[in-house]
Amino acid sequence: MLTPQMTKPQINHCYSPRLFFLPNSRSACKLERTQLLYQSYCLRKNRGLTSIRCMAGEMKGAIVQGTSKPTESTKLEAILTVRASTVERLLDNLSPTQVLDNLQDLLGRSLLLELISSELDPESGSEKKTISAYARKVSQDGGETKYESSFTVPNNFGEIGGVFVTNVYHNEIFLQDLILQNDKTGAAATTISCNSWIQPKSVSPDKRVFFTTKSYLPDQTPSGLKSLRNHELELKRGNGKGERKSTDRIYDYDTYNDLGDPDSEGRARPILGGTKVFPYPRRCRTGRPQSQKDPKSETRSSTFYVPRDEDFSKVKQLQFSTTTLTSVLHAALPSAQSFVIDTKSGFPNFNEITVLYNEGFQIPKVDGIGFFQTLIPRIYDAIQDVSDKVLRFDVPEMLERDRFSWLRDEEFARQTLAGINPYAIQLVKELPMKSKLDPAIYGAAESAITTDIIEKEINGIMTAEEAVHQKRLFVVDYHDLLLPYVHKVRALEGTTLYGSRSLFFLTDEGILKPIAIELTRPPSPTAPEWRHVFVPSSDSTGSWLWKLAKAQVCAHDSGHHELISHWLRTHCSVEPYIIAMHRQLSEMHPIYRLLHRHFRYTMKINAFARQALISAGGIIESSFSPLKYSMELSTVAYDQTWRFDLEALPADLIRRGMAVEDPTAEHGLKLVIDDYPFANDGLLIWSAIKKWVQEYISHYYPDSAQIKSDTELQAWWHEVRTRGHADKKDEPWWPTLDTQESLTQTLTTIIWVASAHHAAVNFGQYDYAGFFPNRPTIARINIPTEDMTTDQLKNFLQKPEDTLLDSFPTQIQATVVMAVLNLLSTHSSDEEYLGGQAAGLTWLNDPVMKAAYDRFYARLKEIEGIIDARNLDPKFRNRSGAGMVPYKLMKPFSDAGVTGMGIPNSISI
């Protein structure tokens, strides 16, 4: 804990005879006098007078408390960089608190700094007294403000281990960094990377401590910093009580008990996490009041708490606020309903779909309409009268290159390897394919895709068993995942669902050919099981039924992609790692410093998702086939398939049968499909990350015994398992951190998931799904042949195109999803990319680690060139060809915007 010597520094003040002091009263008189003082100063300054002297300017340097004898000393100058805090502060310089802050600047008493020694006092055995001085504001350039301070440091003070910062302003500030340099030579002595919001002492009385860039394992911590190290972690853990405030920086766990709104009609949802029925990772605790109807659920509010330093930067917030998910929730659906006569209406023809990109969609003049204007303002063009707006979406790259590609079977198959959900396809290991569900409830276990069907569709070039033996058959199997929800979903309006299997054959040319789609409706008390196998056909009816079957499974794949490959396996599963890191790893711990940059913005974007994307009535529930059951499906996937050890790319490929171990092959794996763009490029990135992590771990843990004895590291990993992923805490597959190899594999997996895995499933969304017929998010009607007695079959035979359009999303669903995907696919201008340069890279001060990181960066640039070459090589038919979108998602670097490439360090969108 903090000692009195550390919390109550003394400072030498030189008082000016012309210095004005404010009375202690907090009455309006104080504010009025302050304003008059500030106005008087400004007036006199304009006349060339200087009637107020800055205290800090007259301080020649603070002295060490309790020093009675003069000692040899060194003068240090501190240079602080502060970013602009809030928009309100910039716009309202005469607000009450801003006037007070301006006065603090004049007095030079805005920020109080206290240098902390790494050593204990040899006489008392306690922490040495701090050396204190105020920092004075010296310049402002755009969004950055510079402060300076001077210290006189006795030579027996010991190595500086950190600094206390007290914010005397009345507004929060964002402290970017602090550099201590020799006053005479100008040589940098110590660099302290802060990158943190500091609250006014009136809001948070605790001093903020920032440590130097030197990293320490717990047992290596200098004696003068040990208590501070522990105290800082205690502050970030909090006490688990009360509602969190936006200014807090407390990290704690809770279940997903805020997705529903039990107090609103039809908005109650199950709590995810904490039960055997709905196991789930944990999210950050907010402590909001309980629901009146369901005390286990939290009430919802307009803002969702995240610890203050997890919030977006000003640049990111400005970019995001113009295309915010929140506006979709609060404005999109109601506003759209105000100008679309029939909210259930689909597009009447394909021309009306292409109009969205070519001519645009005229937004009628409706009072209060704000949907598209707030959602994506950059996609409008003003016409003559500024009150008339046209919604015009950017043309997705797939559509721009070949507007007919979505109709081709080869493209349908190719996207399983090079699209935005390359995690679904798996090898068929036996025939017939079998379900693991109870046949008494869900019908026949054996697939209806028989060997006869397979052999007919591959033109008899081999038997079905030979195809299995030669690893030529692959499947995207959503049968067991979706079948238990078919009747529940069908009870809802405007959607349908099947269990599905899509079977593919690997041709001699190395490309996949779709050969069969199986759709199943399980038995019910009122109807028997229905299932049918659709195959490519040359006759008109069969060809249209094949198109309709593809639309159904594309909707299934869209849901699997968004809910499982994307949300569950990246956003949702990573949040517990972040919470545990802040609670158990000190900011001076080398593993904290390795991981921290890979968690940037993740908690904030997850909070936005809970607010608008995955919540009751949100985008997912409004626009994807399972509707209100969408999030339940993700719990099923978490329960049945999520394993930390299989989140590593090589292990994932092996699990799906897409690769086999081969010590002689590159990366130790041999791919079953040689031209598998995601895996080909992904393994290059995986190996580069792993090599960098290996070098990092070897540097800080030369002996595996240090890993076992690292109390913070072990506490972090224990908390990840037992609290962050508490519903799987007893699983035997959790790795034990006891060797360099196990720690390297664990950290590489986390970094891979947060960077490359997320990039693979996120940044191509608009390119492939921005034209929704290619990847519809919902199938709204049944296959017409399911019930031969309905008018639907008659209508289908008369005009099959209308049946396909009726299957697709409604106009509202389609345009909302397109707008959201545009947002999710966009790189911010302040994006930080894997291997790139960024503020706060503490290891750059270590020559050994800097060299290792430079090698990592160089390898990533080399990989970028390899990917470019592959995309131009015609032998790679799954990524290179006429009108084909090249596979760029694993290219590490990108410009801002929708580029279809770039691997950010973190899940930042």
Side-chain angles (χ1 to χ4, degrees):
M1 57 186 295
L2 302 182
T3 64
Q5 290 91 335
M6 299 181 76
T7 57
K8 295 183 179 180
Q10 299 175 359
I11 308 173
N12 273 15
H13 298 296
C14 296
Y15 295 106
S16 164
R18 295 185 179 179
L19 184 65
F20 292 87
F21 290 90
L22 291 173
N24 292 328
S25 170
R26 295 187 178 180
S27 64
C29 177
K30 174 181 177 180
L31 176 59
E32 182 180 355
R33 187 170 180 181
T34 304
Q35 290 173 326
L36 290 173
L37 177 61
Y38 179 62
Q39 292 168 2
S40 174
Y41 165 76
C42 294
L43 179 62
R44 297 173 69 86
K45 183 179 179 182
N46 290 336
R47 294 176 180 174
L49 303 176
T50 55
S51 57
I52 297 182
R53 299 182 185 176
C54 177
M55 274 189 184
E58 297 204 358
M59 263 192 339
K60 302 303 182 183
I63 66 169
V64 183
Q65 291 74 42
T67 304
S68 56
K69 297 180 180 180
T71 59
E72 294 185 5
S73 60
T74 301
K75 287 190 175 183
L76 295 180
E77 181 183 52
I79 302 174
L80 294 79
T81 302
V82 172
R83 288 216 306 256
S85 55
T86 62
V87 174
E88 289 80 9
R89 183 179 179 188
L90 296 174
L91 296 179
D92 193 2
N93 283 329
L94 292 179
S95 67
T97 56
Q98 187 58 52
V99 170
L100 294 173
D101 285 351
N102 289 338
L103 181 63
Q104 294 297 129
D105 284 334
L106 300 178
L107 300 178
R109 295 173 60 89
S110 308
L111 301 174
L112 175 62
L113 310 181
E114 301 174 51
L115 301 184
I116 304 168
S117 174
S118 295
E119 301 175 0
L120 294 176
D121 188 308
E123 296 181 1
S124 66
S126 60
E127 289 87 353
K128 289 186 176 180
K129 297 174 182 178
T130 58
I131 303 175
S132 308
Y134 282 100
R136 61 191 178 277
K137 181 177 178 180
V138 294
S139 67
Q140 185 168 351
D141 181 13
E144 286 191 353
T145 304
K146 295 291 185 181
Y147 292 76
E148 290 183 358
S149 185
S150 298
F151 299 90
T152 301
V153 183
N155 290 348
N156 62 0
F157 184 69
E159 183 178 356
I160 295 172
V163 61
F164 284 124
V165 180
T166 301
N167 177 10
V168 190
Y169 283 127
H170 294 76
N171 291 298
E172 65 179 1
I173 64 165
F174 186 88
L175 182 57
Q176 185 167 301
D177 55 41
L178 185 154
I179 299 174
L180 291 171
Q181 61 187 25
N182 189 290
D183 194 31
K184 292 184 178 179
T185 66
T190 303
T191 299
I192 299 177
S193 179
C194 306
N195 291 305
S196 181
W197 291 97
I198 305 177
Q199 301 304 315
K201 68 177 182 179
S202 59
V203 173
S204 178
D206 292 310
K207 298 179 180 181
R208 288 299 308 277
V209 61
F210 298 98
F211 300 111
T212 64
T213 55
K214 186 176 287 189
S215 297
Y216 298 101
L217 300 179
D219 60 2
Q220 299 170 343
T221 310
S223 55
L225 303 178
K226 285 183 177 179
S227 65
L228 281 176
R229 182 174 186 145
N230 295 330
H231 182 69
E232 180 71 1
L233 287 173
E234 290 172 2
L235 290 176
K236 292 169 78 173
R237 293 183 194 124
N239 59 13
K241 299 178 181 179
E243 183 173 359
R244 298 271 63 85
K245 302 187 297 292
S246 61
T247 55
D248 289 345
R249 54 190 196 98
I250 294 175
Y251 297 78
D252 205 352
Y253 302 94
D254 208 342
T255 59
Y256 279 78
N257 62 357
D258 63 345
L259 299 182
D261 184 4
D263 297 333
S264 298
E265 185 68 27
R267 292 296 176 90
R269 296 293 182 271
I271 294 170
L272 308 186
T275 67
K276 292 183 178 180
V277 179
F278 299 116
Y280 219 55
R282 300 301 191 261
R283 51 94 173 175
C284 183
R285 179 185 177 276
T286 62
R288 286 170 294 188
Q290 297 175 333
S291 163
Q292 293 181 1
K293 292 185 178 180
D294 179 10
K296 293 183 179 180
S297 293
E298 273 190 355
T299 55
R300 293 174 61 80
S301 61
S302 59
T303 58
F304 281 47
Y305 166 78
V306 295
R308 187 65 183 95
D309 285 341
E310 303 299 330
D311 208 343
F312 289 157
S313 70
K314 181 184 175 185
V315 171
K316 178 77 170 181
Q317 184 61 54
L318 288 173
Q319 179 267 331
F320 193 84
S321 64
T322 60
T323 55
T324 177
L325 290 173
T326 309
S327 67
V328 178
L329 177 65
H330 295 296
L333 300 179
S335 296
Q337 291 169 3
S338 71
F339 67 87
V340 176
I341 296 176
D342 183 0
T343 60
K344 302 174 185 177
S345 176
F347 287 87
N349 53 62
F350 280 93
N351 287 337
E352 292 298 316
I353 298 174
T354 57
V355 159
L356 291 173
Y357 313 99
N358 300 329
E359 300 173 20
F361 177 73
Q362 183 81 31
I363 300 178
K365 299 176 183 178
V366 179
D367 291 340
I369 188 167
F371 167 35
F372 291 114
Q373 287 94 329
T374 57
L375 187 60
I376 301 189
R378 68 173 176 271
I379 61 179
Y380 305 80
D381 290 333
I383 313 177
Q384 295 179 2
D385 185 347
V386 294
S387 63
D388 293 330
K389 296 288 184 178
V390 163
L391 169 68
R392 182 180 292 120
F393 284 93
D394 293 331
V395 180
E397 185 173 6
M398 178 188 173
L399 189 63
E400 186 174 27
R401 286 175 174 265
D402 183 351
R403 62 194 183 104
F404 299 112
S405 62
W406 69 280
L407 289 167
R408 290 198 298 271
D409 288 349
E410 293 80 8
E411 180 64 17
F412 169 65
R414 186 189 78 87
Q415 288 182 31
T416 65
L417 303 174
I420 56 175
N421 193 23
Y423 279 98
I425 191 166
Q426 56 186 306
L427 180 71
V428 175
K429 297 180 180 179
E430 65 174 1
L431 290 175
M433 295 177 285
K434 295 180 181 179
S435 168
K436 296 179 181 179
L437 299 174
D438 185 350
I441 300 174
Y442 298 107
E446 292 188 356
S447 170
I449 303 177
T450 63
T451 56
D452 289 342
I453 292 175
I454 294 171
E455 289 167 4
K456 179 182 177 181
E457 293 305 313
I458 63 175
N459 299 319
I461 61 175
M462 62 180 68
T463 68
E465 289 300 328
E466 287 173 336
V468 172
H469 180 71
Q470 295 181 26
K471 299 182 178 179
R472 303 279 288 271
L473 288 179
F474 299 85
V475 65
V476 174
D477 190 346
Y478 298 136
H479 181 278
D480 285 10
L481 175 68
L482 299 180
L483 205 64
Y485 281 86
V486 167
H487 291 308
K488 291 181 182 179
V489 170
R490 286 184 169 213
L492 305 175
E493 185 180 3
T495 187
T496 192
L497 196 65
Y498 296 94
S500 68
R501 295 184 179 100
S502 302
L503 191 66
F504 303 86
F505 177 71
L506 182 64
T507 68
D508 292 339
E509 291 77 23
I511 61 175
L512 290 177
K513 172 187 176 183
I515 59 175
I517 291 174
E518 178 184 12
L519 298 180
T520 302
R521 182 197 68 203
S524 72
T526 60
E529 176 189 38
W530 178 90
R531 58 180 181 165
H532 189 81
V533 177
F534 300 86
V535 297
S537 176
S538 57
D539 75 82
S540 177
T541 300
S543 176
W544 275 105
L545 286 172
W546 174 248
K547 289 181 177 68
L548 291 171
K550 284 199 298 182
Q552 294 283 341
V553 297
C554 282
H556 301 168
D557 192 64
S558 292
H560 178 272
H561 160 258
E562 207 66 76
L563 291 165
I564 298 169
S565 299
H566 187 187
W567 164 256
L568 173 66
R569 295 181 63 179
T570 64
H571 289 260
C572 183
S573 295
V574 165
E575 185 155 339
Y577 312 148
I578 304 173
I579 299 171
M581 180 191 74
H582 283 282
R583 290 168 55 88
Q584 300 297 341
L585 293 179
S586 166
E587 294 181 18
M588 67 172 73
H589 197 293
I591 302 306
Y592 177 99
R593 287 174 165 168
L594 174 68
L595 290 178
H596 183 248
R597 58 203 301 262
H598 296 290
F599 298 153
R600 182 177 185 240
Y601 297 154
T602 302
M603 292 182 70
K604 181 65 174 180
I605 198 65
N606 285 2
F608 271 117
R610 297 196 338 261
Q611 188 174 8
L613 192 65
I614 62 174
S615 57
I619 304 303
I620 295 292
E621 283 199 5
S622 302
S623 307
F624 284 71
S625 283
L627 298 182
K628 65 181 285 187
Y629 297 105
S630 295
M631 291 304 292
E632 285 189 31
L633 278 170
S634 71
T635 71
V636 174
Y638 180 71
D639 182 35
Q640 296 179 359
T641 65
W642 190 89
R643 290 178 47 162
F644 177 85
D645 60 327
L646 299 183
E647 291 304 290
L649 177 61
D652 173 79
L653 293 170
I654 292 170
R655 169 173 61 175
R656 292 187 284 118
M658 302 303 292
V660 295
E661 293 186 79
D662 183 352
T664 65
E666 187 181 12
H667 316 297
L669 293 179
K670 178 175 174 53
L671 293 176
V672 174
I673 299 178
D674 291 333
D675 185 12
Y676 184 0
F678 161 69
N680 296 131
D681 298 354
L683 285 169
L684 293 175
I685 299 295
W686 167 271
S687 297
I689 295 172
K690 188 170 184 178
K691 187 175 188 303
W692 153 242
V693 174
Q694 281 175 330
E695 293 191 58
Y696 192 92
I697 296 303
S698 297
H699 182 70
Y700 288 104
Y701 295 97
D703 186 344
S704 290
Q706 293 175 293
I707 297 174
K708 297 178 185 178
S709 63
D710 187 334
T711 54
E712 288 184 4
L713 179 71
Q714 298 300 332
W716 166 68
W717 192 235
H718 180 265
E719 190 165 293
V720 165
R721 300 194 314 272
T722 62
R723 297 198 63 186
H725 287 272
D727 298 331
K728 287 181 173 279
K729 63 183 176 63
D730 297 321
E731 297 288 354
W733 39 255
W734 284 104
T736 300
L737 304 187
D738 54 3
T739 64
Q740 291 177 334
E741 291 74 20
S742 65
L743 180 57
T744 296
Q745 181 74 5
T746 296
L747 298 178
T748 302
T749 300
I750 291 173
I751 294 171
W752 161 263
V753 170
S755 58
H757 177 150
H758 180 258
V761 299
N762 185 74
F763 290 104
Q765 290 189 88
Y766 191 73
D767 285 338
Y768 282 103
F771 181 64
F772 67 86
N774 181 59
R775 288 187 63 82
T777 58
I778 189 171
R780 294 188 293 132
I781 61 173
N782 298 336
I783 290 286
T785 52
E786 181 183 333
D787 187 344
M788 304 293 286
T789 65
T790 64
D791 290 339
Q792 187 183 355
L793 178 61
K794 178 182 177 181
N795 296 335
F796 162 70
L797 293 173
Q798 289 180 346
K799 197 171 182 183
E801 180 181 322
D802 285 354
T803 302
L804 181 59
L805 288 165
D806 288 343
S807 247
F808 286 156
T810 66
Q811 294 181 44
I812 293 175
Q813 290 169 333
T815 49
V816 167
V817 170
M818 288 163 62
V820 172
L821 295 183
N822 184 287
L823 165 65
L824 297 180
S825 302
T826 301
H827 287 294
S828 172
S829 59
D830 74 337
E831 200 83 88
E832 295 180 0
Y833 294 96
L834 189 67
Q837 300 300 313
L841 297 183
T842 56
W843 53 75
L844 296 182
N845 295 318
D846 183 323
V848 175
M849 282 294 89
K850 183 180 184 304
Y853 191 71
D854 287 345
R855 288 191 292 273
F856 179 43
Y857 170 76
R859 176 55 178 162
L860 292 175
K861 294 300 290 184
E862 182 182 4
I863 290 171
E864 198 169 45
I866 293 172
I867 292 173
D868 285 338
R870 287 173 173 175
N871 285 332
L872 294 174
D873 192 334
K875 76 179 181 182
F876 296 117
R877 298 190 179 188
N878 289 321
R879 65 194 304 158
S880 177
M884 188 179 294
V885 177
Y887 193 74
K888 304 175 293 182
L889 290 169
M890 290 293 94
K891 290 187 67 173
F893 307 102
S894 173
D895 295 327
V898 179
T899 65
M901 67 178 79
I903 304 176
N905 276 320
S906 62
I907 302 165
S908 59
I909 189 66

